[in-house]
Amino acid sequence: MVYPQQEGLMSIEATNHYLETAANILGISERLKTVLKTPRRIIKAEIVIERDNGELATFVGYRVQHNNSLGPMKGGLRYHHEVCENEVESLASLMTWKTALVNLPFGGAKGGIICDPRKLSESEIERITKTFTDQIRDVIGPNIDIPAPDMNTNAQTMAWIMHEYSKFYGFSPGVVTGKPVYLHGSLGREEATGLGVTLTIENLLNDHQRSIKDATFVIQGFGNVGGIAAKCIHERGGKVICVSDVSGALYDKKGIDIPTLIQHTHEHHSIKGFQDLEMISNEALLSLECDVLVPAALGDIFTKEVAENVNASFIVEGANDPTLPEGDEIFNKRGIIVAPDILANSGGVTVSYFEWVQNIQRLSWTEEQVNQELQRTITNAYQRVVKLAKKENCSLRTAAFIIGLGRVAKANLTLGL
Ligand code: NAD
């Protein structure tokens, strides 16, 4: 399903709206606001490759480097036919506030290539990845900008980038994170975002005298984030009643057998056809009655109309940028509690940081050590956000932006504009 182009605010305007709200509470000057909104660099690359049939094809790739006041810039790289500069800029900005919120020594960046990986062979994707790396290699690096997996990219993609980059600059595992574990990746990285989403849900439900065991869940997206979150929720006794992927949504109000569904998707590359369960649309999924709704696919899905029809008590944003300000306003009015993306999906960048640290120190952590540190980091960030939201009488999103923005603003002022 392709979401129609939204009328109203586009991604970057939406992100800047959240930034403005926090900046006004912090009393940040117009001058500094301008600096904080403006990306350091926007790279547009034309990627020409030879297709398997011998013809040439051109793809457009972006890397937006938003802010490096707190350290090297960090952010994912996505392959999707709807990637556009505006969206990449918004996602890069979100990475700046996210890394600052969880207190990592990183800034924010994001990348994307306009392509539909389902229509490309593995070797064509490899050529696209290596050509793009070659075109941006001067401006990425372990101390400059460190890409990671995002939609439709994975450990294999990161291994190709590391290999291409290392040809020019020598062995450089720290240039990307989310690599295969046997090629300088970290234990726990693949699961980190979905596990972080689950830890956020646990914290949120505990605060409301609820638990995963007595709650129902609806999850949009069954890839790295949605699939792992579903698995972690299922392992903790939660009832996942609906999950979706690009082909539609599977619904079973008795609860879906997630481990068997994961096996099914490995074999069929889709959730379709699983145990003859009822299929509903991705739109219908968003209005199902449940305790916790987890968007874990695309951005810009909660418009005013969609938000009005949401039938959940909590929304935990696994995806980046799923809520437009008009939707956010409705959630706040309706008392639906939203754990914002920069908090809820920060597990990925947190364990990416652990991977980078291990690469630099040339040592390996155990999975237990990674997960313990992840739990500590996410829970600390969650508690700081909840405390500030109570103090300021604001949403968790506004509180999260105040913390992230406050740190970056202070660093920018100290370093000099
Ligand atoms: P992925 O490619 O592994 O999975 C994406 C899932 O979304 C797939 O199941 C796909 O079928 C589904 N999907 C795609 N288009 C859809 C549509 N139109 N409707 C419904 N479902 C659709 O990607 P991912 O890494 O799981 O990323 C998902 C979201 O989480 C993105 O917004 C990404 O930016 C965010 N995120 C990812 C990470 C990470 O570590 N991978 C970290 C933070 C945030």
Side-chain angles (χ1 to χ4, degrees):
M1 189 199 86
V2 174
Y3 287 97
Q5 192 68 49
Q6 307 293 346
E7 282 183 14
L9 289 178
M10 292 281 291
S11 299
I12 187 61
E13 285 81 16
T15 301
N16 282 343
H17 168 91
Y18 298 133
L19 186 152
E20 283 277 347
T21 309
N24 292 341
I25 295 173
L26 283 165
I28 288 178
S29 69
E30 288 302 320
R31 269 165 67 85
L32 183 54
K33 257 195 260 179
T34 304
V35 173
L36 295 174
K37 279 185 193 168
T38 312
R40 296 283 190 269
R41 193 187 262 143
I42 299 178
I43 301 142
K44 179 180 176 190
E46 299 278 344
I47 306 158
V48 183
I49 62 146
E50 190 174 71
R51 303 250 357 216
D52 293 345
N53 63 8
E55 284 175 13
L56 290 186
T58 307
F59 300 87
V60 172
Y62 296 100
R63 187 77 188 164
V64 177
Q65 299 178 328
H66 182 259
N67 189 293
N68 61 356
S69 310
L70 289 171
M73 293 165 285
K74 185 90 194 77
L77 173 66
R78 70 167 55 169
Y79 291 177
H80 198 273
H81 57 282
E82 287 178 356
V83 161
C84 65
E85 187 179 317
N86 179 302
E87 180 194 54
V88 181
E89 190 181 334
S90 172
L91 295 168
S93 169
L94 281 179
M95 285 307 297
T96 299
W97 320 124
K98 188 186 304 181
T99 52
L101 168 65
V102 284
N103 219 357
L104 305 177
F106 286 140
K110 198 80 180 190
I113 297 179
I114 308 170
C115 66
D116 187 345
R118 288 169 304 176
K119 297 185 180 148
L120 296 162
S121 71
E122 172 106 344
S123 60
E124 287 170 338
I125 297 175
E126 177 178 352
R127 287 197 288 282
I128 290 173
T129 305
K130 289 189 171 170
T131 307
F132 184 57
T133 307
D134 197 27
Q135 281 162 314
I136 63 168
R137 65 184 162 83
D138 287 346
V139 289
I140 61 169
N143 295 314
I144 303 171
D145 175 7
I146 307 141
D150 194 82
M151 278 188 90
N152 297 323
T153 56
N154 53 28
Q156 171 65 80
T157 326
M158 296 305 116
W160 287 326
I161 298 176
M162 174 181 77
H163 185 60
E164 185 66 16
Y165 182 88
S166 296
K167 270 195 212 162
F168 297 93
Y169 302 100
F171 175 64
S172 311
V175 66
V176 279
T177 56
K179 300 176 291 291
V181 175
Y182 57 87
L183 267 175
H184 317 286
S186 174
L187 289 165
R189 172 60 187 90
E190 205 177 327
E191 298 78 16
T193 313
L195 177 57
V197 167
T198 312
L199 295 171
T200 306
I201 293 172
E202 229 161 27
N203 286 327
L204 200 55
L205 290 178
N206 282 347
D207 268 357
H208 291 83
Q209 292 72 52
R210 299 282 311 269
S211 76
I212 289 187
K213 272 204 306 295
D214 65 34
T216 52
F217 298 84
V218 166
I219 303 175
Q220 184 181 61
F222 202 67
N224 175 273
V225 181
I228 304 276
K231 176 174 162 275
C232 296
I233 290 165
H234 183 86
E235 281 167 1
R236 287 159 174 75
K239 197 197 273 187
V240 181
I241 59 170
C242 187
V243 299
S244 73
D245 67 8
V246 70
S247 69
L250 277 179
Y251 176 57
D252 184 352
K253 67 172 187 292
K254 297 196 297 294
I256 298 168
D257 175 358
I258 298 296
T260 314
L261 176 60
I262 290 175
Q263 223 174 318
H264 173 93
T265 51
H266 284 156
E267 284 160 23
H268 303 275
H269 306 291
S270 168
I271 60 171
K272 234 178 169 172
F274 179 66
Q275 295 180 349
D276 295 324
L277 289 186
E278 184 188 347
M279 287 293 277
I280 60 171
S281 70
N282 261 294
E283 288 95 338
L285 167 149
L286 295 172
S287 57
L288 280 179
E289 188 180 339
C290 63
D291 294 304
V292 185
L293 173 60
V294 181
L298 295 179
D300 290 351
I301 56 169
F302 293 122
T303 57
K304 182 170 179 287
E305 293 70 32
V306 174
E308 269 162 357
N309 289 318
V310 163
N311 219 338
S313 309
F314 302 94
I315 294 175
V316 177
E317 296 181 343
N320 281 312
D321 247 351
T323 308
L324 290 158
E326 62 198 41
D328 207 42
E329 207 181 310
I330 302 285
F331 292 145
N332 292 336
K333 270 198 198 128
R334 294 184 58 206
I336 296 174
I337 297 170
V338 182
D341 46 10
I342 60 172
L343 171 68
N345 70 30
S346 61
V349 73
T350 300
V351 176
S352 273
Y353 165 59
F354 301 156
E355 181 174 329
W356 181 76
V357 166
Q358 292 170 72
N359 291 156
I360 285 174
Q361 299 185 344
R362 303 284 191 261
L363 50 75
S364 304
W365 294 9
T366 64
E367 190 162 0
E368 197 188 4
Q369 196 177 357
V370 168
N371 288 345
Q372 261 175 14
E373 282 299 302
L374 171 64
Q375 171 136 27
R376 193 186 56 77
T377 309
I378 292 249
T379 303
N380 275 349
Y382 172 83
Q383 285 168 349
R384 274 182 276 120
V385 168
V386 169
K387 195 170 160 197
L388 187 66
K390 280 190 185 136
K391 181 168 164 251
E392 293 289 338
N393 192 22
C394 66
S395 67
L396 299 182
R397 189 187 312 279
T398 300
F401 268 82
I402 293 175
I403 297 172
L405 194 65
R407 285 204 172 120
V408 179
K410 192 171 170 189
N412 255 281
L413 284 175
T414 309
L415 295 167
L417 292 183

